[in-house]
Every structure is written in structure tokens, then in C-alpha cells.
Amino acid sequence: MWKRLSVLWLAVRGDAKRLWYALGHPDAPVWLKAGTAAIVLYLLSPIDLIPEMIPILGVVDDLVIVPLALRWLLSRLPADIRDHAEARASGAKPQSPWNPLRR
């Protein structure tokens, strides 16, 4: 299981970062949290579309489904949340729209 997760992490680490920062945004929609929970449950669930006992195909379904689901969630984000997540993932410090010190 750890080998599967490490291979999957290499494939989706950029999208996973953007999703993490989008979840941390104060205006993150509920459907984003539910979709992320569904992806995590799919990864941790012992039930797969293709069983892991089939040597190569057992991992391939995870390598296809999870990145597609992450991209689908990220593509449906509102523009302000998407920009915030993109800026944080690239290492920039995004401007907060509710900064009380800014006039």
C-alpha cells in the first residue's frame, strides 16, 4: 500500500498542493471538501475498481482515477480561490482580501 501511495504522490504532488491550499482558503466551497474526502476514502479503501492482486493494472487505476479527480476538482474552483491556491503552491504570499491593516 505504501508503494502505491508513494508512486501516486509523485504523479499528483503539484495538484495535491494546490488542492491543500484551496481547502485552506476561508471561502472554500463545501463540495470541494466533500470531493477531497471522497478521493481520500477511495485511496484508503481496500475496494478498488481493479484489484491490487493484478500486478500492473491494480496500480494503474489509481494512477488514472486520482489525478483525473484532482484536476476535475481544481478546474471547478472559483477564480479567486484558484488564484490563491496557485500563488501559495508556487511559493508566493498571496494578498488577503480581508487584511485589516490595508487601507
Side-chain angles (χ1 to χ4, degrees):
M1 179 171 147
W2 292 112
K3 183 178 179 181
R4 175 177 68 143
L5 291 177
S6 64
V7 168
L8 187 61
W9 174 248
L10 290 174
V12 300
R13 84 176 138 212
D15 288 340
K17 270 185 173 180
R18 284 190 288 279
L19 184 64
W20 178 259
Y21 290 127
L23 286 169
H25 192 277
D27 297 329
V30 175
W31 58 262
L32 180 65
K33 295 172 184 177
T36 304
I39 291 172
V40 170
L41 285 175
Y42 176 76
L43 278 173
L44 298 178
S45 171
I47 301 170
D48 278 338
L49 292 178
I50 301 173
E52 302 297 324
M53 290 176 233
I54 301 173
I56 295 174
L57 294 177
V59 177
V60 170
D61 74 327
D62 293 337
L63 289 174
V64 171
I65 292 171
V66 172
L68 285 176
L70 285 175
R71 289 281 169 107
W72 186 80
L73 283 175
L74 290 171
S75 70
R76 272 127 186 95
L77 283 175
D80 60 330
I81 298 174
R82 188 179 319 120
D83 294 341
H84 168 82
E86 191 67 41
R88 291 284 310 270
S90 67
K93 190 90 168 169
Q95 286 289 337
S96 175
W98 48 270
N99 188 351
L101 299 176
R102 188 175 49 168
R103 300 232 181 214

